[in-house]
C-alpha cells in the first residue's frame, strides 16, 4: 500500500465470516469492559471470526445502529462492525464491514457532531471528530490488511467504534456537561 492509497475492502464481504452469527446482548455503562482497552486479536482465530459474525448480526437487529464494538457485547477485543448505508448523514459508505486491530493513521477536517450510543442509551453528546480519516486494520476471516479512506458520517462511526475498542465512550470526548443531552424519543 502506498501512502494515501485507499485499498478499501477488496472483495471482502460478511460471507467470509462463514455463518450468520448470533445476536448478543448489548451492555450499558458503567460496565467495566466498556472502560478498558481491548486486546489485539488474531483475525483468523475461530473465536474472532464468530465474534465478527455476532457483531454484524446484533447490529442488524438493532434499530438505528450503525456500528457495534466487541466491548459493547462484553468482549475485551479490538473488533468492531460498521454499516452506515442508508443513514441520512452518509456521504461515503463502504457497506457492511468488520475491522480488527484498527487504528486511525491520518485525521483531518475536524467537526463537532452529535453522537449517541447503544451503551449509553439515554444520552447524546456533541463530540469533535475528524470528518476525514485513514484507518489501517485487518479483516476477520482473511487476515488481509486494509487501508480505508473515508469521510463524513462513516469517518465519525469508525472513530466512535475505535474509541470503544480503546475503552472510551463518546462521553469521554464531550467538552463538558453543557454538551450532553437527553436522547429524544420519537413516537
Amino acid at each position: 500500500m502506498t501512502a494515501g492509497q485507499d485499498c478499501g475492502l477488496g472483495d471482502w464481504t460478511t460471507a467470509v465470516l462463514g455463518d450468520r452469527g448470533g445476536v448478543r446482548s448489548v451492555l450499558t455503562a458503567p460496565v467495566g469492559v466498556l472502560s478498558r482497552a481491548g486486546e489485539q486479536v488474531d483475525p483468523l482465530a475461530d473465536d474472532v471470526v464468530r465474534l465478527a459474525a455476532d457483531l454484524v448480526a446484533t447490529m442488524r437487529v438493532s434499530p438505528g445502529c450503525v456500528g457495534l464494538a466487541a466491548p459493547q457485547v462484553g468482549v475485551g477485543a479490538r473488533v468492531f462492525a460498521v454499516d452506515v448505508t442508508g443513514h441520512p448523514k452518509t456521504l461515503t459508505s463502504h457497506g457492511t464491514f468488520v475491522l480488527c486491530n484498527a487504528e486511525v493513521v491520518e485525521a483531518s477536517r475536524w467537526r463537532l457532531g452529535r453522537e449517541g450510543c447503544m451503551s449509553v442509551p439515554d444520552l447524546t453528546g456533541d463530540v469533535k471528530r475528524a470528518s476525514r480519516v485513514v484507518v489501517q486494520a485487518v479483516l476477520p476471516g482473511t487476515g488481509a490488511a486494509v487501508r480505508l479512506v473515508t469521510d463524513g458520517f462513516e469517518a465519525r462511526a469508525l472513530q466512535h467504534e475505535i474509541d470503544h475498542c480503546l475503552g472510551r465512550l463518546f462521553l469521554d470526548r464531550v467538552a463538558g456537561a453543557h454538551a450532553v443531552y437527553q436522547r429524544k424519543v420519537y413516537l
Side-chain angles (χ1 to χ4, degrees):
M1 289 182 279
T2 60
Q5 180 183 1
D6 179 3
C7 292
L9 301 170
D11 59 358
W12 191 93
T13 69
T14 56
V16 169
L17 303 177
D19 78 36
R20 300 178 62 199
V23 175
R24 297 194 188 196
S25 296
V26 176
L27 304 177
T28 56
V31 175
V33 69
L34 294 172
S35 61
R36 289 191 298 271
E39 298 291 325
Q40 295 244 351
V41 298
D42 173 358
L44 300 176
D46 289 343
D47 61 330
V48 172
V49 174
R50 165 61 69 160
L51 172 62
D54 291 353
L55 289 171
V56 171
T58 305
M59 184 175 66
R60 286 184 173 155
V61 300
S62 303
C65 182
V66 297
L68 189 64
Q72 292 180 274
V73 297
V75 181
R78 292 184 56 191
V79 181
F80 64 85
V82 166
D83 185 1
V84 299
T85 304
H87 190 282
K89 294 182 182 178
T90 297
L91 300 173
T92 301
S93 175
H94 287 86
T96 304
F97 59 91
V98 181
L99 298 179
C100 300
N101 308 327
E103 61 182 336
V104 175
V105 294
E106 293 178 32
S108 61
R109 303 181 198 152
W110 295 83
R111 305 277 187 273
L112 199 60
R114 185 69 53 92
E115 292 186 20
C117 179
M118 290 177 60
S119 292
V120 187
D122 299 324
L123 301 173
T124 62
D126 293 334
V127 179
K128 191 172 188 178
R129 295 202 190 267
S131 63
R132 181 190 177 280
V133 295
V134 178
V135 172
Q136 288 185 178
V138 290
L139 296 169
T142 67
V146 294
R147 181 180 176 91
L148 202 62
V149 178
T150 193
D151 59 13
F153 190 66
E154 188 174 68
R156 180 170 293 277
L158 282 167
Q159 291 166 89
H160 181 106
E161 300 310 327
I162 289 169
D163 271 358
H164 273 301
C165 292
L166 298 175
R168 296 187 196 114
L169 297 172
F170 77 89
L171 293 173
D172 297 320
R173 293 207 179 264
V174 297
H178 67 280
V180 177
Y181 308 91
Q182 277 298 128
R183 182 182 293 271
K184 292 180 181 175
V185 177
Y186 299 97
L187 301 174

